[in-house]
Amino acid sequence: MEEADLLAHLQLVKNLYLLGRGELFLHFIEAADHLLQAPPKPTTEYDVNITFQLTVRNIVTGDDSFLDTFHLTVPASINKLQGDSGSIESGWHRLGLAYTVDWPLHILFTERVLEKYNSVFKYLLSVQRAQTALQGCWAAQMQRKNTKRPALLTAASWQLHNHMTFLVNNLQYYLMVDVLESQFSQLLDKVQSTKDFEAIRLAHDTFLMNIQAHSFLLLKPVSHCIRELLNLCQTFCTLICSPVVIPPCKETTALSQREMDQLKNISRSFSRQTAVLFKILSGVRSHQSSPHLAQFLMRMDYNKYFTAAGGQLGSTFIDNKVLQGQQKTG
């Protein structure tokens, strides 16, 4: 394992599969978004890899030889283009990361192990995408702060935006610091303290299981709830940052009834999902078997605001009175 430079490979896996090089994926998300918003085509995977390589060469200084062993995958199987809801999946939902493992590391990074890494990669990337979208939406709003628009709806929508940002930022910090950095540090300590391969494999398997568990991927109700919340953040940003909502000129028209209804539904769904998440976290936070749930809840509810709100975020900001006021002032 020393000859194979295991420590360097572990760091490389962390940088890519676990988004350790956050700035790389931040730029990649922005550069590849136009390619991956739509359902993947036969040429999508090639185009995405070209974009990824260009991003790496613009961001990473020094050795970029890892591009020879890592590449992105965007399968476009006709039979699997539909998600659980029956809707057509975008390229982002199909995106994965493949790693060509050299001997003798193939006995540690098996196909099953890489599948687990890929599930974590997709999950972390969805969190990063939601955070990037919310930040981009805020930036677009700041650029147009002098635009005339209905004040009540603006206040309502941006309070919802703030609640979404609060949730996603805390989730991102929990995953990257409380889970990944902590678990990876423990893995390196164990690897460096032994030369026994079986001990190393056990430590690595434990590391991978822990990051899956602590990231809630093994707790389906929580992972499903979080994915739904992330999807709502993406939908909100698409709506609120569309040319209709934030036009380039200083004069604007009121939102259509359809757009107002959509915004109201997003708010209600976000409130419902955060309530479910809070109920699950609160129900198990005292269990010794799930200390990571208590840790995440502490991140979310450090000042008891979440508790005071009844475990709901975005629940009362967009209602019929607000929408009626928007129509009158529009």
Side-chain angles (χ1 to χ4, degrees), residues 216 222 276-285 293 296-297:
F216 315 121
V222 177
V276 171
L277 179 62
F278 184 78
K279 183 177 180 180
I280 296 173
L281 296 177
S282 299
V284 298
R285 61 179 172 178
L293 293 175
F296 179 49
L297 182 60

Side-chain angles (χ1 to χ4, degrees), residues 216-235:
F216 315 121
L217 289 173
L218 302 182
L219 191 59
K220 296 303 181 183
V222 177
S223 64
H224 174 76
C225 186
I226 290 176
R227 292 182 195 280
E228 289 295 314
L229 287 166
L230 295 175
N231 287 337
L232 287 169
C233 291
Q234 291 285 354
T235 304

Side-chain angles (χ1 to χ4, degrees), residues 28-324:
F28 171 73
I29 288 170
E30 295 175 351
D33 193 51
H34 69 288
L35 297 171
L36 294 168
Q37 283 284 1
K41 300 181 293 186
T43 59
T44 300
E45 183 171 307
Y46 174 82
D47 294 337
V48 166
N49 274 285
I50 292 297
T51 301
F52 183 64
Q53 292 168 13
L54 292 174
T55 304
V56 168
R57 288 169 181 144
N58 288 333
I59 301 300
V60 177
T61 58
D63 186 16
D64 61 2
S65 59
F66 63 85
L67 289 173
D68 296 331
T69 54
F70 286 89
H71 71 276
L72 297 170
T73 61
V74 192
S77 174
I78 297 176
N79 296 328
K80 297 182 179 180
L81 277 178
Q82 290 192 338
D84 295 337
S85 63
S87 59
I88 302 298
E89 289 187 332
S90 71
W92 284 117
H93 291 96
R94 307 285 295 164
L95 185 68
L97 183 63
Y99 177 28
T100 304
V101 188
D102 294 330
W103 183 93
L105 293 177
H106 68 288
I107 56 178
L108 184 64
F109 296 104
T110 63
E111 183 175 344
R112 182 174 177 81
V113 165
L114 293 180
E115 287 177 358
K116 293 179 179 179
Y117 269 118
N118 225 344
S119 68
V120 177
F121 169 75
K122 292 180 178 182
Y123 177 58
L124 294 176
L125 193 65
S126 67
V127 178
Q128 180 67 73
R129 284 185 59 232
Q131 187 179 54
T132 301
L134 288 166
Q135 290 171 347
C137 208
W138 176 86
Q141 173 73 352
M142 292 302 100
Q143 290 175 354
R144 297 165 173 83
K145 62 183 180 180
N146 293 324
T147 301
K148 296 179 181 179
R149 54 167 48 85
L152 285 174
L153 185 60
T154 299
S157 62
W158 286 103
Q159 286 183 62
L160 177 59
H161 172 272
N162 289 341
H163 278 208
M164 288 179 166
T165 301
F166 171 80
L167 174 69
V168 173
N169 285 352
N170 278 286
L171 175 62
Q172 174 83 333
Y173 188 89
Y174 165 79
L175 293 173
M176 302 308 295
V177 177
D178 294 338
V179 177
L180 297 179
E181 286 298 333
S182 173
Q183 292 295 324
F184 190 72
S185 177
Q186 294 178 39
L187 172 63
L188 292 185
D189 288 342
K190 292 177 181 177
V191 169
Q192 291 173 321
S193 65
T194 183
K195 293 185 179 181
D196 181 71
F197 172 73
E198 287 304 323
I200 291 174
R201 177 153 61 182
L202 177 60
H204 181 253
D205 289 345
T206 301
F207 161 76
L208 190 50
M209 181 183 67
N210 283 343
I211 62 173
Q212 285 185 294
H214 295 183
S215 299
F216 315 121
L217 289 173
L218 302 182
L219 191 59
K220 296 303 181 183
V222 177
S223 64
H224 174 76
C225 186
I226 290 176
R227 292 182 195 280
E228 289 295 314
L229 287 166
L230 295 175
N231 287 337
L232 287 169
C233 291
Q234 291 285 354
T235 304
F236 170 83
C237 291
T238 299
L239 173 66
I240 211 69
C241 291
S242 68
V244 175
V245 179
I246 305 182
C249 58
K250 287 192 174 182
E251 294 183 358
T252 183
T253 58
L255 291 176
S256 68
Q257 184 62 48
R258 178 185 176 186
E259 289 160 342
M260 289 189 292
D261 290 342
Q262 187 177 2
L263 192 58
K264 183 167 60 175
N265 288 335
I266 291 171
S267 179
R268 288 174 174 171
S269 297
F270 189 78
S271 172
R272 182 172 59 252
Q273 292 296 338
T274 53
V276 171
L277 179 62
F278 184 78
K279 183 177 180 180
I280 296 173
L281 296 177
S282 299
V284 298
R285 61 179 172 178
S286 61
H287 294 184
Q288 293 296 322
S289 60
S290 305
H292 51 286
L293 293 175
Q295 178 70 18
F296 179 49
L297 182 60
M298 185 182 71
R299 290 285 179 201
M300 289 293 301
D301 200 29
Y302 65 93
N303 61 356
K304 300 302 178 183
Y305 177 83
F306 207 12
T307 298
Q312 294 185 356
L313 297 176
S315 57
T316 60
F317 300 118
I318 301 176
D319 56 25
N320 289 329
K321 291 183 180 179
V322 171
L323 293 174
Q324 288 170 4

Side-chain angles (χ1 to χ4, degrees), residues 2-43:
E2 289 183 0
E3 294 179 0
D5 201 1
L6 175 60
L7 292 177
H9 280 272
L10 286 173
Q11 185 63 54
L12 189 56
V13 166
K14 174 179 179 285
N15 288 345
L16 295 177
Y17 274 114
L18 306 182
L19 273 57
R21 291 300 300 265
E23 78 285 7
L24 170 62
F25 287 96
L26 176 63
H27 286 83
F28 171 73
I29 288 170
E30 295 175 351
D33 193 51
H34 69 288
L35 297 171
L36 294 168
Q37 283 284 1
K41 300 181 293 186
T43 59

